């Protein structure tokens, strides 16, 4: 069993997988409207995908929106994510822009956690993990493969790399080409979770991989992403249906 990590008032790595809902608004007004709607569904965590924000590199405006968002979310933990185009996101960023944006966000302490792409640049993960921890902010390291599913040994290697580079949680998402790819992802999840270094989040995307989003309790993935309105990745399940599925599996686990 992976050790647990506390993000805000939420503990990851214990019991039933937690549900995170992404916000993908392109303007401040849209972001805040989506947040208010999401709150009606009582998520465990909210992810703000700031790469969807049209003027995200206007840091004064972004931080202003961040404060307003946190006021709406109250005690719900907030994960802030800039997903680059290379990993399926909406915008590109230079290494310098990426680091500066996250540093300013962490400095506000309105974000409970940030998502850092594990292979964006040499030592970026280590650098941002150290800075985040100095602010009391947790780090979710992530890696995405929208073309396929690497072999199990490679999935395990990537997750261990994230753990050894200072991340509090290691996350990987892959695209299955067959049902056996889904089994590969679930098996690698079980191996890494059993090592107990950090909690892990894994998912096999799209329709073929949907089962991976509900079987975290059985294989060791501590969090899953549910949808309210617009999805941020292929295969996300509406939060109400997802909660029912997770509760049912928990009842018989």
């Amino acid at each position: 069993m992976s050790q647990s990590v506390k993000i805000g008032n939420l503990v990851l790595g214990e019991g039933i997988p937690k549900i995170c809902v992404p916000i993908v608004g392109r303007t401040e007004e849209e972001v805040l409207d989506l947040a208010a709607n999401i709150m009606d569904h009582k998520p465990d965590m909210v992810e703000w995908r700031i790469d969807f924000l049209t003027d995200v590199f206007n840091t004064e405006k972004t931080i202003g929106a961040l404060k307003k968002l946190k006021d709406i979310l109250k005690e719900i933990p907030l994960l802030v994510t800039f997903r680059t185009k290379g990993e399926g996101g909406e915008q590109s960023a230079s290494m310098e822009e990426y680091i500066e944006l996250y540093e300013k966000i962490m400095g506000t302490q309105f974000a409970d956690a940030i998502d850092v792409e594990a292979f964006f640049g040499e030592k970026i993960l280590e650098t941002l993990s150290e800075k985040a921890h100095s602010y009391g902010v947790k780090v979710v390291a992530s890696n995405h493969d929208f073309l396929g599913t690497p072999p199990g040994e490679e999935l395990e290697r990537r997750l261990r790399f994230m753990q050894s580079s200072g991340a509090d949680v290691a996350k990987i998402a892959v695209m299955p080409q067959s049902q056996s790819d889904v089994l590969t992802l679930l098996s690698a999840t079980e191996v890494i979770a059993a090592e107990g270094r950090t909690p892990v989040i894994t998912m096999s995307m799209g329709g073929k991989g949907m089962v991976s989003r509900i079987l975290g309790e059985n294989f060791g993935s501590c969090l899953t992403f549910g949808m309210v309105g617009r999805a941020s990745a292929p295969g996300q399940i509406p939060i109400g249906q997802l909660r029912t599925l997770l509760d049912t599996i928990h009842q018989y686990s």
Side-chain angles (χ1 to χ4, degrees):
M1 180 68 69
S2 298
Q3 69 179 53
S4 61
V5 166
K6 193 170 185 181
I7 299 180
N9 59 5
L10 183 69
V11 178
L12 296 182
E14 292 181 357
I16 191 168
K18 308 308 184 287
I19 299 175
C20 181
V21 174
I23 292 176
V24 292
R26 298 196 180 278
T27 66
E28 177 183 301
E29 182 180 13
E30 189 179 357
V31 166
L32 300 180
D33 285 347
L34 288 167
N37 185 30
I38 287 169
M39 287 294 285
D40 291 337
H41 297 269
K42 297 180 171 56
D44 297 306
M45 178 183 284
V46 166
E47 177 187 39
W48 184 21
R49 282 285 303 275
I50 59 173
D51 53 294
F52 278 84
L53 197 62
T54 303
D55 51 358
V56 63
F57 292 111
N58 182 333
T59 51
E60 185 175 343
K61 287 185 68 175
T62 298
I63 287 171
L66 174 63
K67 183 181 186 306
K68 294 174 186 175
L69 175 60
K70 192 60 178 172
D71 287 343
I72 291 172
L73 298 182
K74 302 186 188 308
E75 298 303 314
I76 300 295
L78 176 62
L79 168 65
V80 175
T81 299
F82 187 101
R83 181 74 61 239
T84 65
K85 276 196 171 181
E87 295 239 351
E90 293 293 297
Q91 299 188 50
S92 299
S94 69
M95 194 178 302
E96 293 74 21
E97 287 174 325
Y98 189 83
I99 292 173
E100 182 181 1
L101 181 59
Y102 268 143
E103 283 186 330
K104 289 187 175 180
I105 286 169
M106 290 187 292
T108 67
Q109 297 192 312
F110 295 137
D112 298 288
I114 60 169
D115 178 300
V116 180
E117 292 174 7
F119 305 108
F120 180 66
E122 186 178 359
K123 296 204 171 181
I124 289 288
L125 178 55
E126 288 184 8
T127 298
L128 282 175
S129 292
E130 289 178 6
K131 289 182 181 294
H133 294 152
S134 73
Y135 287 114
V137 175
K138 296 297 195 297
V139 173
V140 177
S142 64
N143 176 234
H144 300 75
D145 190 331
F146 286 87
L147 298 178
T149 300
E153 295 82 0
E154 174 61 13
L155 294 174
E156 293 169 21
R157 184 196 71 78
R158 293 182 189 183
L159 289 165
R160 291 189 185 106
F161 168 78
M162 297 180 212
Q163 293 173 325
S164 65
S165 297
D168 300 286
V169 182
K171 173 192 170 189
I172 199 160
V174 295
M175 185 65 74
Q177 302 302 319
S178 66
Q179 295 305 139
S180 63
D181 281 348
V182 182
L183 295 176
T184 296
L185 182 279
L186 292 173
S187 178
T189 304
E190 186 175 32
V191 168
I192 298 299
E195 292 176 359
R197 296 178 65 186
T198 74
V200 296
I201 302 168
T202 67
M203 66 213 70
S204 192
M205 295 182 284
K208 283 188 177 71
M210 192 174 292
V211 66
S212 69
R213 296 182 180 274
I214 65 173
L215 291 178
E217 187 167 4
N218 301 90
F219 290 89
S221 181
C222 69
L223 180 142
T224 188
F225 289 80
M227 180 177 67
V228 174
R230 184 179 174 188
S232 65
Q236 287 178 357
I237 303 169
I239 186 172
Q241 295 177 30
L242 181 57
R243 184 175 285 119
T244 297
L245 291 165
L246 293 174
D247 288 344
T248 301
I249 290 168
H250 178 71
Q251 182 180 350
Y252 293 100
S253 293

